[in-house]
């Protein structure tokens, strides 16, 4: 059993990742979920997380964190995720509880309270995680690794060179990449291969309650992806959870990766020293390939499993 903390900014692909983790609690012990300003403002992504967890009748502690990047202004992504950050499905309003602690102290407490090491699944700008590592260095030894969606060695999506999560808060990303904690990077190199097709999305919409909700959300995300040239939808953040569940369906390479905090063209660029003679410590396992068929099957099966759950029974798979 892995103990995980999910830091996210839902976000359609964040939502699919949360759902898949929730469906697989026999393998992933979700110690908590934290939100960070990213795809939309902190209040919107937190509301989205509350709506999603309320829909599931979940009992997972939720904390909201930083409104925006360490030193820059938040740049949200309404063009991909809509004005609400998770457009495409109208959730019934429910009062899902939010802890009174900030995400950063919440993360610290959950990590230090856990008897075993904890994995952080990071799916948004790395602001909360960077603060956690800087303000509470005691947590370092208790973190087994950080599996993050961000970056890309070959290209960007927010700019030519930078991926959104890293571009939004490059200073935070730099802190995390230099932390010395084992890192797995699910960047655009792999996440743009981890796609779901329109037909596969449509198949969700004829199934049960959770599949239909996921299908409606993904339909919105699929349509918005067309403006960026996608014919299938990349399930970026889902790669983090899929990697934790089935690492064998991914391939990757260890590289020394750095983050550019320069202003201008290279802001948020993640770059690797790929020389055979490169002598710097290889600090990141960069995912490059995924078995797409199995990746999508894992997702669809997870949604089908949640369709069969009533109230909290899915906790005991
Ligand atoms: C990342 O940016 C966000 O829009 C997605 O949720 C994902 O975390 C992809 O670049
Ligand atoms: Ca995200």
């Amino acid at each position: 059993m892995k103990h995980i903390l999910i830091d996210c900014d839902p976000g359609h692909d964040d939502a699919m990742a949360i759902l898949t983790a929730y469906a697989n609690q026999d393998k992933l012990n979700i110690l908590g979920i934290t939100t960070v300003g990213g795809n939309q403002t902190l209040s919107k992504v937190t509301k989205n997380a509350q709506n999603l967890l309320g829909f599931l009748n979940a009992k997972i502690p939720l904390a909201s964190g930083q409104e925006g990047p360490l030193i820059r202004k938040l740049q949200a992504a309404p063009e991909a995720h809509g004005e609400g950050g998770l457009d495409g499905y109208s959730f019934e309003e429910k009062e899902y509880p939010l802890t009174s602690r900030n995400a950063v102290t919440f993360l610290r407490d959950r990590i230090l309270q856990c008897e075993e090491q904890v994995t952080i699944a990071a799916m948004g700008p790395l602001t909360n995680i960077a603060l956690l590592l800087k303000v509470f260095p005691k947590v370092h030894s208790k973190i087994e690794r950080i599996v993050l969606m961000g970056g890309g060695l070959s290209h960007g999506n927010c700019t030519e060179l930078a991926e959104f999560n890293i571009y939004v808060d490059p200073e935070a990303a730099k802190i995390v990449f230099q932390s010395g904690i084992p890192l797995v990077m699910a960047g655009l190199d792999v996440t743009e291969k981890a796609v779901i097709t329109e037909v596969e999305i449509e198949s969700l919409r004829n199934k049960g309650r959770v599949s239909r909700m996921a299908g409606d959300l993904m339909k919105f995300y699929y349509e918005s992806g067309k403006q960026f040239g996608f014919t299938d939808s990349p399930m970026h953040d889902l790669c983090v959870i899929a990697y934790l569940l089935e690492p064998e369906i991914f391939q990757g390479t260890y590289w020394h990766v750095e983050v550019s905090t320069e202003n201008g063209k290279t802001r948020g660029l993640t770059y690797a020293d790929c020389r055979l003679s490169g002598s710097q410590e290889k600090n990141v396992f960069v995912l490059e390939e995924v078995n797409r068929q199995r990746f999508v099957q894992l997702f669809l099966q997870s949604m089908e499993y949640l369709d069969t759950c009533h109230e909290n029974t899915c906790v005991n798979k």
Side-chain angles (χ1 to χ4, degrees):
M1 179 71 106
K2 290 186 183 77
H3 307 288
I4 68 165
L5 284 157
I6 298 176
D7 186 62
C8 59
D9 59 340
H12 293 78
D13 51 335
D14 304 76
M16 300 308 125
I18 292 170
L19 289 169
T20 304
Y22 191 72
N24 288 279
Q25 290 178 84
D26 54 332
K27 300 182 194 86
L28 300 179
N29 175 26
I30 309 171
L31 297 172
I33 297 180
T34 53
T35 54
V36 63
N39 282 325
Q40 262 301 350
T41 60
L42 182 69
S43 61
K44 287 183 183 177
V45 299
T46 303
K47 189 80 216 146
N48 293 340
Q50 288 177 293
N51 285 343
L52 189 68
L53 294 171
F55 180 93
L56 293 169
N57 287 309
K59 297 275 180 290
I60 297 172
L62 175 68
S64 74
Q66 298 309 111
E67 288 189 2
L70 293 181
I71 59 171
R72 297 174 191 258
K73 266 185 78 163
L74 177 65
Q75 180 180 316
E79 58 291 344
H81 300 275
E83 278 307 320
L86 189 58
D87 290 7
Y89 185 84
S90 293
F91 287 94
E92 202 184 304
E93 288 284 322
K94 279 195 186 171
E95 285 306 311
Y96 192 87
L98 197 58
T99 73
S100 55
R101 274 167 299 169
N102 177 279
V104 179
T105 47
F106 171 83
L107 287 166
R108 175 203 59 188
D109 293 347
R110 297 304 275 168
I111 291 169
L112 295 181
Q113 282 159 4
C114 186
E115 286 183 3
E116 293 173 45
Q117 280 198 309
V118 172
T119 293
I120 294 179
M123 304 172 186
L126 289 161
T127 322
N128 288 340
I129 309 303
L131 280 172
L132 170 74
L133 300 180
K134 275 288 175 202
V135 180
F136 303 116
K138 247 171 113 177
V139 299
H140 280 230
S141 61
K142 290 288 309 287
I143 299 175
E144 185 178 345
R145 62 189 161 163
I146 299 172
V147 182
L148 62 96
M149 191 286 133
L153 298 186
S154 55
H155 62 286
N157 60 0
C158 192
T159 69
E160 306 98 288
L161 299 178
E163 181 280 329
F164 177 80
N165 288 339
I166 308 294
Y167 180 84
V168 170
D169 197 346
E171 284 75 20
K174 194 175 194 114
I175 290 170
V176 173
F177 277 68
Q178 291 182 344
S179 66
I181 292 170
L183 297 182
V184 177
M185 173 174 135
L188 298 174
D189 315 293
V190 71
T191 65
E192 289 187 352
K193 295 173 185 160
V195 294
I196 188 166
T197 67
E198 186 176 21
V199 171
E200 288 160 347
I201 292 170
E202 282 304 320
S203 79
L204 282 164
R205 301 173 86 204
N206 312 316
K207 293 186 187 155
R209 173 177 179 267
V210 177
S211 290
R212 288 200 305 274
M213 176 269 290
D216 286 356
L217 288 173
M218 286 309 297
K219 178 76 180 155
F220 178 94
Y221 191 55
Y222 173 82
E223 292 299 332
S224 75
K226 284 182 181 168
Q227 67 190 291
F228 307 111
F230 290 116
T231 46
D232 301 316
S233 277
M235 311 266 274
H236 304 286
D237 293 336
L238 181 58
C239 289
V240 171
I241 297 302
Y243 179 77
L244 291 173
L245 289 170
E246 297 190 10
E248 63 281 3
I249 70 171
F250 291 88
Q251 286 169 30
T253 309
Y254 282 96
W255 295 118
H256 177 83
V257 181
E258 294 193 26
V259 179
S260 167
T261 53
E262 305 279 315
N263 288 318
K265 275 263 177 205
T266 65
R267 169 179 166 178
L269 166 71
T270 44
Y271 57 99
D273 183 354
C274 300
R275 293 171 299 174
L276 292 175
S277 61
S279 58
Q280 301 187 84
E281 196 202 344
K282 296 187 173 15
N283 58 341
V284 182
F285 186 60
V286 180
L287 302 185
E288 295 160 342
E289 299 293 336
V290 60
N291 174 343
R292 192 200 80 85
Q293 294 289 351
R294 176 57 198 150
F295 174 81
V296 172
Q297 189 184 47
L298 171 66
F299 170 64
L300 296 177
Q301 284 173 345
S302 297
M303 297 310 103
E304 269 180 38
Y305 170 69
L306 292 179
D307 286 338
T308 66
C309 293
H310 302 287
E311 298 297 318
N312 293 315
T313 51
C314 27
V315 174
N316 309 309
K317 198 173 183 177

